[in-house]
Amino acid sequence: MRINRAFLTLICAGACIAAAAAAGYDRLAERASRSFQWEEWSSAAAMYELMLKERPDSLSSYARAITANQMVGDSAATVELIERAMSHGIGLSAVLEAVRLTDFSIGQGDRYGTYLHHLRNSIPWMSRALDNELLGYYTFRNDGPMMVKYANIMLAGLPDSVEYLALLAKGQLLAGQPAEAAATWKKILEIDPDNFPTLVLLGNYYLQQGNETEGKTLLSKAESIRQTPYITTLLQP
């Protein structure tokens, strides 16, 4: 009975310690959240660092710590935090998406783009993954010239990627290069002849250029894959 009582005492003591630790962490999280909300960036950065020492796999803490350090200009810390997050099993894309959402939530979307460029310069062995993130960022911003730049960078490694070719064509359109976009759409159709969105885009392009024969041929093929009111309207005499 004495052994059992001692064992129970240890269990109770451990539970009390764990509860106290959890309560302490929760209080710290509340203070960190308030500092972040009130834009007390140095304080927020320090408190999120303390939280990460206790829970080094917390994605939300990494995101807010990175944003807070961005705001105080500690670029070295923002790189170290990314590397630490990955060392604790959090994927690069997951961290960056959390940082992106956090930056945009406080009206700092441009700062996120700058951060991606800084990471690319600081961690060269991750350049391809970061180029892909930059392509996504500029696609989100509808920045045609930068979409063209980063789509071409990605295509250098995967020249037959329909996904990157489609983003290249979209960037070319946004950059005021419709003829170049049409050439890219043709390349997509060489790789994937039944690519529905590309058949519609290129067919519509030909119609706008006055080439009804080629345009309606492509749109008819698109309609054979999927009928839509839009294509039906375009095919009307």
Side-chain angles (χ1 to χ4, degrees):
M1 288 295 294
R2 290 179 181 176
I3 295 175
N4 289 339
R5 286 178 180 173
F7 183 65
L8 289 172
T9 300
L10 286 173
I11 290 176
C12 291
C16 290
I17 292 170
Y25 183 88
D26 289 343
R27 284 194 296 271
L28 180 60
E30 288 176 9
R31 291 173 56 199
S33 181
R34 279 198 302 271
S35 293
F36 194 92
Q37 183 179 355
W38 294 341
E39 299 184 359
E40 297 172 349
W41 303 120
S42 294
S43 177
M47 283 187 278
Y48 280 114
E49 180 62 32
L50 290 174
M51 290 170 64
L52 285 168
K53 288 184 185 304
E54 290 194 43
R55 299 184 186 177
D57 59 350
S58 172
L59 175 58
S60 60
S61 293
Y62 279 112
R64 287 200 159 195
I66 288 169
T67 295
N69 279 287
Q70 286 176 338
M71 297 304 292
V72 298
D74 192 341
S75 57
T78 64
V79 175
E80 189 275 333
L81 284 161
I82 280 281
E83 293 176 324
R84 199 194 317 168
M86 290 190 294
S87 74
H88 285 94
I90 303 175
L92 175 65
S93 293
V95 184
L96 290 178
E97 176 63 7
V99 174
R100 183 184 74 82
L101 292 173
T102 304
D103 282 352
F104 274 82
S105 73
I106 62 169
Q108 295 292 329
D110 290 340
R111 194 178 294 273
Y112 177 69
T114 301
Y115 179 51
L116 289 177
H117 284 286
H118 176 62
L119 285 177
R120 193 186 187 285
N121 293 332
S122 302
I123 317 176
W125 61 271
M126 291 177 57
S127 60
R128 185 159 179 82
L130 289 165
D131 285 337
N132 189 53
E133 294 292 338
L134 281 161
L135 175 57
Y137 171 74
Y138 287 117
T139 299
F140 177 80
R141 301 303 290 262
N142 284 323
D143 187 326
M146 296 303 284
M147 286 178 68
V148 170
K149 175 181 177 178
Y150 283 97
N152 277 321
I153 288 174
M154 299 308 296
L155 285 164
L158 287 171
D160 292 334
S161 169
V162 170
E163 176 188 356
Y164 292 136
L165 285 167
L167 290 174
L168 172 62
K170 181 179 179 180
Q172 289 166 329
L173 270 186
L174 289 169
Q177 302 170 341
E180 289 83 350
T184 303
W185 289 327
K186 290 179 186 177
K187 185 169 183 180
I188 292 174
L189 292 178
E190 289 173 4
I191 299 166
D192 180 9
D194 295 328
N195 188 285
F196 177 81
T198 304
L199 287 167
V200 175
L201 288 165
L202 186 57
N204 194 34
Y205 169 79
Y206 279 129
L207 289 184
Q208 291 176 359
Q209 296 300 306
N211 187 343
E212 284 202 13
T213 301
E214 191 68 29
K216 290 191 174 182
T217 297
L218 292 168
L219 290 168
S220 294
K221 184 173 182 179
E223 188 177 46
S224 71
I225 297 170
R226 185 190 313 159
Q227 290 188 338
T228 71
Y230 176 68
I231 296 175
T232 300
T233 300
L234 290 175
L235 287 171
Q236 288 177 352

